[in-house]
Amino acid sequence: HIYASVAFASNATGYRYINIRLNGSTMIATLGHTEVAASNENMSISTEYSLAVNDYVELVVYQNSGGALNVIATPNSSPEFGMTFQGKAST
């Protein structure tokens, strides 16, 4: 189980995306929002994915408001990225 949460600073223009990317190229989960109000945008995403030996995952965020837009740093809330193993360990 792979999960993430991100909060973008308020800006009423453009889109916000968060993606979980596998091995630098394959998106295995994606979420996008169109901004409709000038308030902070809190986004959460998760997916179940069976990883192989040497696989790695990244959290990729994107916004196109037309200017610099910060990700809000809030302890235990944003940004957060992690995973849990849900299965039998190989021997």
Side-chain angles (χ1 to χ4, degrees):
H1 180 77
I2 307 163
Y3 56 90
S5 64
V6 174
F8 287 95
S10 62
N11 185 306
T13 304
Y15 298 94
R16 312 292 178 267
Y17 294 96
I18 60 175
N19 304 285
I20 297 174
R21 184 167 63 187
L22 174 68
N23 297 330
S25 61
T26 304
M27 298 300 180
I28 58 174
T30 187
L31 176 66
H33 287 173
T34 302
E35 283 304 300
V36 294
S39 61
N40 293 347
E41 179 70 24
N42 299 305
M43 301 175 74
S44 296
I45 191 169
S46 67
T47 189
E48 305 292 326
Y49 195 86
S50 181
L51 298 171
V53 172
N54 296 322
D55 278 349
Y56 67 94
V57 292
E58 303 167 282
L59 176 63
V60 180
V61 299
Y62 170 79
Q63 63 86 20
N64 68 349
S65 68
L69 188 60
N70 291 332
V71 166
I72 299 170
T74 305
N76 302 316
S77 177
S78 172
E80 291 289 320
F81 183 50
M83 68 175 73
T84 57
F85 178 71
Q86 297 178 326
K88 182 179 177 184
S90 59
T91 57

